[in-house]
Amino acid sequence: ADLHDKTGRMKAKGVIKDAVPWAESRTYFFYLAKRRIAQDNYVSQLRAADSSLDNNGALDILKGMCSADWEDNAAVLDYYTANDADITAKISEMKTAAIKAKIAELEKELAE
C-alpha cells in the first residue's frame, strides 16, 4: 500500500506525465487551468460550428494551428491569446463550410 500514490509509481503506470516540483506547482497549475479554460472554449465553439467534430477532432485542429510547443501550457496559452482572431476566423470558416455541406446534402435529397 505504500507505493500506491507515489509519483514514481503513478508515472510508471502512465497516470501522470511527470512530477511537478512543489516550488513550481502554483505556476504550473495556473497555466494549465488557464490553457484548459481557453482550449475548452475553442473546442466547444469548433464543435458548435461543425457538429461532425468530436473533442479529439477539434483538439487536432487547434494543435495543427498552434505554432507553440503543445506540451508547454504557458506557450500554448500565449499562442491562444495572441492568435484569437485567427482561431475565431478558423471557427467561422468551419461553420460556413459545414453549412454549405448541409445545404448541398439537402439539395441532393431534394433532387432524388
Side-chain angles (χ1 to χ4, degrees):
D2 184 42
L3 293 177
H4 83 281
D5 61 353
K6 302 287 185 181
T7 55
R9 182 73 178 144
M10 292 172 71
K11 188 174 179 183
K13 287 293 188 180
V15 177
I16 61 172
K17 293 179 187 175
D18 209 358
V20 178
W22 181 252
E24 299 169 16
S25 63
R26 183 177 293 218
T27 302
Y28 175 83
F29 288 111
F30 171 80
Y31 283 110
L32 175 63
K34 294 281 282 183
R35 174 201 175 156
R36 287 297 304 271
I37 290 168
Q39 188 167 284
D40 289 350
N41 181 36
Y42 287 134
V43 165
S44 66
Q45 288 180 45
L46 283 164
R47 291 190 67 201
D50 185 351
S51 60
S52 69
L53 281 177
D54 61 357
N55 277 355
N56 290 333
L59 275 175
D60 288 342
I61 291 168
L62 289 173
K63 191 184 260 188
M65 293 179 71
C66 186
S67 58
D69 175 13
W70 193 250
E71 299 301 317
D72 183 347
N73 294 318
V76 173
L77 180 61
D78 288 344
Y79 173 82
Y80 288 159
T81 303
N83 295 286
D84 181 65
D86 295 336
I87 298 169
T88 303
K90 178 69 172 177
I91 292 168
S92 179
E93 174 186 312
M94 291 190 65
K95 184 174 185 176
T96 302
I99 291 170
K100 286 180 180 179
K102 184 67 173 173
I103 290 171
E105 180 184 321
L106 291 172
E107 285 176 341
K108 185 178 177 183
E109 280 184 31
L110 285 175
E112 294 175 354

